[in-house]
Amino acid sequence: MVSHKCVEEFSLQFPANARAPRSARKKRSFKKEEITENDKTCAIDLLATVAENLLSETGSSHMSIDKPVEDHCLVKEEFPVEDKPLKPATLPEFNPYQGSSMSPCGFSSVISGKVEIEAEGFSHSGGIDSCQAGQDLKPSVDGGAVVLDARPNGVGSLGGSSSRTKVPSMGAGVSLGALDDVHMFSRDDDENFSGYICPRVTKKSPRSVPRVGDRRIRKILASRHWKGGSRHSEAKSWRNYYLHHQRSYPIKKRKYFDHISDSVSDDYRLRSKMQRGSRAVSTMKGPGASFVSSDSHVRLRIKSFRVPELFVEIPETATVGSLKRMVMEAVSTLLSDGHRIGLMVQGKKVRDDNKTLHQTGISQDNTHLDSLDFSLEPSSEAPHLLSSNPSGHVCEELSMCRTSDMDTLFKTEPDLALFPSGSFDKETAADDSKALVHAALTELSPPQPPRHKSNKQQQQQQQTAQRRMRRPFSVTEVEALVQAVEKLGTGRWRDVKHSAFEDADHRTYVDLKDKWKTLVHTAKISPQQRRGEPVPQELLNRVLNAHGYWSQQHMETLALPKPEALALPPRSFNYLSRSSVRMENLTFSSEAGAKPRGALIVVEGLDRSGKSTQCAKLRSFLESSGHPTELWRFPDRETSVGQMISAYLSNKSQLDDRTIHLLFSANRWEKRSLMEEKLKGGTTLIVDRYSYSGVAFSSAKGLGIEWCKAPEVGLLAPDSVLYLDISPERAAERGGYGDERYERVDFQKKVSEFYQTLRDSSWKIIDAGDSMEEVEKKIQQVVLDKVKECALGKSLSLLWSS
Ligand SMILES: Nc1ncnc2c1ncn2[C@@H]1O[C@H](COP(=O)(O)OP(=O)(O)O)[C@@H](O)[C@H]1O
Ligand SMILES: Cc1cn([C@H]2C[C@H](O)[C@@H](COP(=O)(O)OP(=O)(O)O)O2)c(=O)[nH]c1=O
């Protein structure tokens, strides 16, 4: 192994043009894939050995090499020395940030104090001294080791891992002029370059990109480095510096020399000053330019930056080109608004900028440096807002969204209503390093030249961002919105705004329109699918009603052909873009053009209240109006279960109260799937008695109401319950009373009480004491509205499911 002693003293000068041709370097047989840890170590040894060779050949009196001979042999066997001159490489012309507000200088040039940072990937000049450092490096070296990694594009393509530089003697001092063969080690790390360059760097040389995974090597080097630095002269320090970086990071030497060449002369002249016990690393202009410390070095390699997440929404009909432009616009806007750097160590955000790296856990002893993360964060507290529609054609807007996925740069969500909506606030946004993008477009303008936003524009944009910052609608606001829409309809959003949200400056009429659309969607999906602030089901029902009603009105306004007397949409008419049948745990959806579903109408009441009479009349009415309708009744006495029930009711058999209750329930369950099928097929079902009878009658016998309801849970919930309200006494006056088991006034009274308990908003109470015609008329109106609503997409839900 090469010890630090072998490279203790060294001083050198390089000519500006001493470069190996890239082609020559690439011909080296030593490939990156073949590099193992041992190889890397060998490479270090190699460099040291080469340096030793050089020094030996020059006979420099400054050298005092303690390198054992055996290392020479090893190096020479594996990497035979060639004698090929190094030439400056040419810079590729590609600059991904040309024309944008982003600096072409990458973070690869960041060096702060003694912390050397190499970065690849996302780069931006805003607030980053590093770029400046990379471009304006001043070797204000107080102590010795200087590391600079300005990254010229293409430098990463160092196919050869070993190259040899012929360095002529230039100037006074200990010259490398006689050191003919500088055997340089470099590692091909092309995949780690992403083109963030400082264009002013025009000279190329082999370089290697240190990996965090190379810490072991670096530590060895660092420790040797410091040891050497503490004992030797200025000349020694430079020799140390040179070999240190030649061994592991030849590009750093080259960059540094490049700079000197530009700023001083064609000579690569290094000057350093030795400080006992410490070395300075300075690559930055400004206050920190001459940072001197005796701390350990930490070398961090920033492979990429994470940028805040952006959301964009774009119509399916937009072109891919439009999408790309929109994304470009989003990125440019975000970056041009300024941002800062966020740091995460092992997944934990480091907020305190005053902590030392060591306190933060960033030290050369830390074996978890791989878990460092740098991110770009919005510099302002307010979340970023972007309108990606330069044409101003705003047809639809989105609410701002956030996600918890840090790794995704752009993400699309097909359904805005499914976004979490309730938990967002500015602080959270900043903390999570998210950018909030309010994308508003359905039409995209054609490609436009890059726009440089003025301060005023940016200010306006930020104001808009603040205005658009998501503020979830409260239940009160939703109620006000529903009420206004019920009254004014779904086409008069300015009126809705003025009537119900006059004082709410942050709610534009477009916001109201969007919220309404979200509410309609939410009302149609199952509760499990709903996200964000919960909206009471009652309000959602009203949303659906109003939506159905105003949709129908709108259709009539358009003078569309009315299918039948009831003006229901014809089967072939794609008015319904999507009708869904909502179940408790699943949503059945039928696409445009599917049959409108039928309504489930239940008629309840005491015995002899007139249910059978009215059900028959209603069926005739609906059928004569063009609605497929069937009349069902429970108990269905035709099934085997129904026959057992019938026998029980007519006192021909005796059954336990719970048993007969469950038989009634089973009688309904055996018809459930057929019921669903009929409804989905568009048939309206009028059902004479249903689960409410089952619970009311069994409860009247003394069974617990919840126990009685339990077996009914999961049956289809009626769209409407018509309760024919009559007193038991009056019902008893009607003919035929007294033939069956429950036809007793006292018992019917109890049943009546439990019916009261079961009532909910879906019930319509009809005075059954009125004449048959009056009752019939009232029922018709209620049922008509309900049948329309179901035809327009009202969801089908489950009974007694929360
Ligand atoms: N509104 C009404 N006014 C007077 N009699 C009625 C009325 N509705 C029904 N009836 C009569 O009451 C009796 C019971 O009616 P029905 O429809 O069989 O009741 P249910 O099915 O509720 O037991 C029938 O003789 C019917 O003609
Ligand atoms: C549907 C159902 C009805 N019943 C009772 C109510 C009735 O008294 C009886 C059968 O009702 P039904 O044949 O409809 O009689 P009516 O026409 O007089 O209303 O069964 C239950 O006890 N549980 C049930 O689940």
Side-chain angles (χ1 to χ4, degrees):
M1 290 291 295
V2 177
S3 100
H4 68 279
K5 292 178 183 176
C6 71
V7 289
E8 279 174 346
E9 296 183 23
F10 201 69
S11 174
L12 47 96
Q13 295 171 345
F14 288 108
N17 60 352
R19 297 288 179 269
R22 179 183 295 276
S23 59
R25 294 195 301 270
K26 283 192 170 175
K27 283 178 186 168
R28 306 293 177 193
S29 59
F30 190 65
K31 293 190 175 128
K32 176 190 171 188
E33 301 86 84
E34 296 165 347
I35 298 174
T36 63
E37 280 299 311
N38 286 338
D39 294 329
K40 290 171 188 170
T41 307
C42 288
I44 296 166
D45 295 343
L46 167 65
L47 290 169
T49 305
V50 171
E52 188 177 345
N53 283 342
L54 297 173
L55 295 171
S56 299
E57 289 174 34
T58 56
S60 169
S61 61
H62 294 263
M63 296 197 175
S64 173
I65 298 176
D66 299 325
K67 175 75 191 73
V69 174
E70 56 270 25
D71 286 332
H72 280 266
C73 301
L74 176 66
V75 170
K76 283 177 181 174
E77 279 174 16
E78 290 192 17
F79 307 103
V81 174
E82 295 178 24
D83 189 18
K84 293 189 178 174
L86 299 174
K87 296 194 293 197
T90 54
L91 264 179
E93 291 177 0
F94 172 69
N95 179 355
Y97 294 104
Q98 203 164 16
S100 79
S101 60
M102 298 162 63
S103 165
C105 176
F107 285 110
S108 54
S109 57
V110 175
I111 301 174
S112 177
K114 289 188 176 181
V115 178
E116 171 194 324
I117 299 175
E118 291 189 8
E120 299 169 359
F122 221 87
S123 171
H124 182 259
S125 60
I128 306 297
D129 291 332
S130 52
C131 288
Q132 198 67 13
Q135 295 184 22
D136 301 297
L137 172 64
K138 294 265 199 285
S140 54
V141 180
D142 290 326
V146 178
V147 179
L148 169 64
D149 183 11
R151 177 164 299 176
N153 197 4
V155 171
S157 298
L158 301 176
S161 55
S162 169
S163 64
R164 199 172 48 173
T165 305
K166 190 165 186 173
V167 187
S169 174
M170 297 293 286
V174 177
S175 168
L176 280 182
L179 310 182
D180 288 342
D181 297 311
V182 178
H183 199 168
M184 300 175 69
F185 167 80
S186 67
R187 179 167 52 85
D188 188 345
D189 212 355
D190 270 356
E191 78 281 10
N192 292 321
F193 286 87
S194 50
Y196 299 97
I197 62 171
C198 294
R200 63 172 292 281
V201 178
T202 57
K203 299 180 178 65
K204 303 287 176 192
S205 86
R207 58 170 293 181
S208 66
V209 180
R211 292 177 183 276
V212 174
D214 293 338
R215 286 190 303 275
R216 188 175 66 80
I217 298 173
R218 293 173 193 163
K219 284 178 190 174
I220 294 169
L221 293 173
S223 63
R224 292 169 180 170
H225 183 78
W226 295 117
K227 281 179 193 171
S230 64
R231 301 196 303 266
H232 300 289
S233 65
E234 176 181 340
K236 285 179 183 176
S237 74
W238 280 115
R239 174 176 166 258
N240 259 357
Y241 164 71
Y242 170 65
L243 286 181
H244 171 93
H245 293 285
Q246 277 290 44
R247 281 183 297 180
S248 54
Y249 317 110
I251 188 64
K252 293 172 176 45
K253 179 269 303 177
R254 186 184 61 73
K255 286 296 141 209
Y256 184 68
F257 294 166
D258 282 351
H259 177 83
I260 295 173
S261 173
D262 289 345
S263 59
V264 180
S265 72
D266 283 341
D267 290 357
Y268 291 98
R269 186 183 303 275
L270 304 180
R271 301 181 194 285
S272 67
K273 189 168 73 178
M274 181 68 194
Q275 280 201 345
R276 190 168 189 82
S278 69
R279 289 176 186 270
V281 177
S282 173
T283 60
M284 301 179 69
K285 284 178 109 176
S290 297
F291 179 76
V292 177
S293 166
S294 59
D295 297 339
S296 298
H297 284 194
V298 181
R299 293 196 172 178
L300 308 175
R301 177 167 172 271
I302 304 171
K303 190 167 184 179
S304 62
F305 277 85
R306 289 176 176 170
V307 301
E309 287 182 342
L310 307 171
F311 283 97
V312 297
E313 184 176 87
I314 187 167
E316 289 176 355
T317 51
T319 63
V320 171
S322 299
L323 173 61
K324 287 180 177 176
R325 286 193 295 279
M326 185 174 176
V327 171
M328 189 63 205
E329 174 89 359
V331 173
S332 301
T333 304
L334 173 69
L335 295 179
S336 65
D337 283 351
H339 51 268
R340 58 196 163 106
I341 298 297
L343 171 63
M344 305 261 288
V345 179
Q346 290 183 267
K348 200 175 167 194
K349 189 150 187 163
V350 180
R351 290 187 175 80
D352 188 350
D353 289 347
N354 297 320
K355 275 187 180 175
T356 66
L357 297 183
H358 192 269
Q359 287 172 335
T360 314
I362 304 174
S363 69
Q364 63 172 333
D365 298 326
N366 192 323
T367 56
H368 302 293
L369 292 183
D370 287 320
S371 60
L372 283 181
D373 257 330
F374 292 86
S375 61
L376 297 180
E377 296 179 351
S379 59
S380 59
E381 282 300 309
H384 281 228
L385 171 74
L386 175 71
S387 169
S388 301
N389 186 6
S391 67
H393 296 162
V394 178
C395 300
E396 188 165 353
E397 298 188 37
L398 300 181
S399 298
M400 292 184 187
C401 310
R402 62 184 289 259
T403 72
S404 57
D405 182 5
M406 284 286 289
D407 294 329
T408 310
L409 176 57
F410 295 107
K411 191 175 181 181
T412 56
E413 285 281 354
D415 194 338
L416 175 66
L418 298 180
F419 287 159
S421 61
S423 59
F424 176 75
D425 59 59
K426 288 189 288 184
E427 195 181 342
T428 315
D431 284 355
D432 289 350
S433 188
K434 303 288 195 303
L436 303 177
V437 179
H438 190 111
L441 82 167
T442 54
E443 268 182 59
L444 290 173
S445 62
Q448 294 186 355
R451 291 181 303 150
H452 295 283
K453 293 180 178 61
S454 65
N455 283 343
K456 195 179 169 190
Q457 280 175 315
Q458 287 187 8
Q459 211 173 359
Q460 281 176 348
Q461 197 175 45
Q462 282 192 349
Q463 283 172 354
T464 312
Q466 299 226 359
R467 185 173 62 79
R468 300 250 183 223
M469 190 172 56
R470 195 179 193 294
R471 295 190 214 180
F473 278 71
S474 66
V475 173
T476 310
E477 283 183 301
V478 171
E479 196 166 7
L481 178 60
V482 172
Q483 199 170 349
V485 174
E486 282 173 340
K487 185 175 150 200
L488 298 166
T490 53
R492 299 166 57 189
W493 296 107
R494 281 193 172 84
D495 292 340
V496 170
K497 157 80 180 163
H498 290 136
S499 71
F501 291 84
E502 182 71 32
D503 299 329
D505 292 339
H506 60 290
R507 305 287 188 211
T508 67
Y509 76 92
V510 178
D511 293 337
L512 300 177
K513 186 183 89 171
D514 289 343
K515 181 60 185 176
W516 180 257
K517 288 169 73 175
T518 304
L519 284 171
V520 170
H521 178 89
T522 305
K524 288 181 180 178
I525 62 177
S526 72
Q528 283 76 17
Q529 288 177 296
R530 293 173 192 164
R531 298 171 73 174
E533 289 294 316
V535 178
Q537 184 61 43
E538 190 199 346
L539 274 179
L540 292 175
N541 291 341
R542 286 173 64 187
V543 167
L544 274 186
N545 287 342
H547 173 71
Y549 176 79
W550 286 108
S551 297
Q552 181 72 20
Q553 293 298 313
H554 180 63
M555 197 170 71
E556 289 173 359
T557 307
L558 292 175
L560 292 169
K562 296 180 182 179
E564 302 287 349
L566 293 177
L568 287 173
R571 302 270 170 89
S572 59
F573 180 53
N574 287 354
Y575 175 74
L576 291 176
S577 61
R578 187 181 185 86
S579 65
S580 60
V581 179
R582 180 162 58 81
M583 308 295 289
E584 183 58 27
N585 294 310
L586 65 162
T587 299
F588 304 97
S589 298
S590 54
E591 295 305 320
K595 285 180 180 178
R597 83 163 173 91
L600 179 56
I601 308 295
V602 165
V603 181
E604 286 282 2
L606 299 179
D607 291 15
R608 300 297 180 267
S609 59
K611 300 181 296 300
S612 303
T613 303
Q614 293 301 332
C615 283
K617 287 178 177 290
L618 181 59
R619 178 191 183 180
S620 301
F621 170 73
L622 289 178
E623 285 196 325
S624 65
S625 302
H627 298 284
T629 306
E630 287 186 16
L631 178 53
W632 288 20
R633 70 181 301 150
F634 289 110
D636 180 352
R637 302 187 192 222
E638 292 182 1
T639 70
S640 55
V641 173
Q643 287 168 13
M644 293 169 67
I645 294 170
S646 186
Y648 172 81
L649 287 174
S650 58
N651 292 309
K652 291 176 185 164
S653 67
Q654 299 300 319
L655 291 169
D656 171 75
D657 288 346
R658 286 182 170 79
T659 304
I660 187 62
H661 179 82
L662 294 175
L663 284 177
F664 273 115
S665 183
N667 190 227
R668 283 182 282 276
W669 275 102
E670 61 185 343
K671 303 296 290 286
R672 184 196 181 282
S673 53
L674 180 62
M675 181 183 276
E676 185 182 321
E677 191 182 305
K678 292 281 184 184
L679 293 170
K680 287 169 73 177
T683 301
T684 288
L685 299 181
I686 301 167
V687 182
D688 184 349
R689 292 198 186 273
Y690 197 52
S691 301
Y692 306 98
S693 287
V695 176
F697 277 81
S698 293
S699 297
K701 287 188 205 174
L703 298 179
I705 192 166
E706 291 306 320
W707 186 92
C708 293
K709 285 168 85 173
E712 309 295 320
V713 174
L715 290 169
L716 297 180
D719 294 303
S720 185
V721 178
L722 307 173
Y723 182 73
L724 302 187
D725 193 20
I726 193 169
S727 69
E729 292 83 2
R730 207 160 162 200
E733 292 170 5
R734 293 178 176 172
Y737 199 85
D739 291 344
E740 284 196 333
R741 185 180 288 262
Y742 299 136
E743 294 172 347
R744 303 186 322 263
V745 173
D746 57 335
F747 184 75
Q748 295 284 326
K749 278 185 179 173
K750 288 185 184 171
V751 172
S752 173
E753 288 166 11
F754 280 103
Y755 267 130
Q756 308 286 335
T757 308
L758 295 172
R759 282 183 192 180
D760 62 30
S761 58
S762 68
W763 284 41
K764 186 77 183 172
I765 312 300
I766 309 247
D767 187 352
D770 290 344
S771 69
M772 287 185 195
E773 291 72 28
E774 283 174 320
V775 173
E776 180 184 3
K777 216 172 172 183
K778 287 178 186 172
I779 288 175
Q780 284 177 356
Q781 191 52 49
V782 172
V783 172
L784 257 186
D785 288 347
K786 200 53 67 178
V787 170
K788 282 184 193 176
E789 197 180 301
C790 293
L792 288 166
K794 179 182 179 293
S795 302
L796 187 60
S797 56
L798 300 184
L799 186 63
W800 291 325
S801 297
S802 56

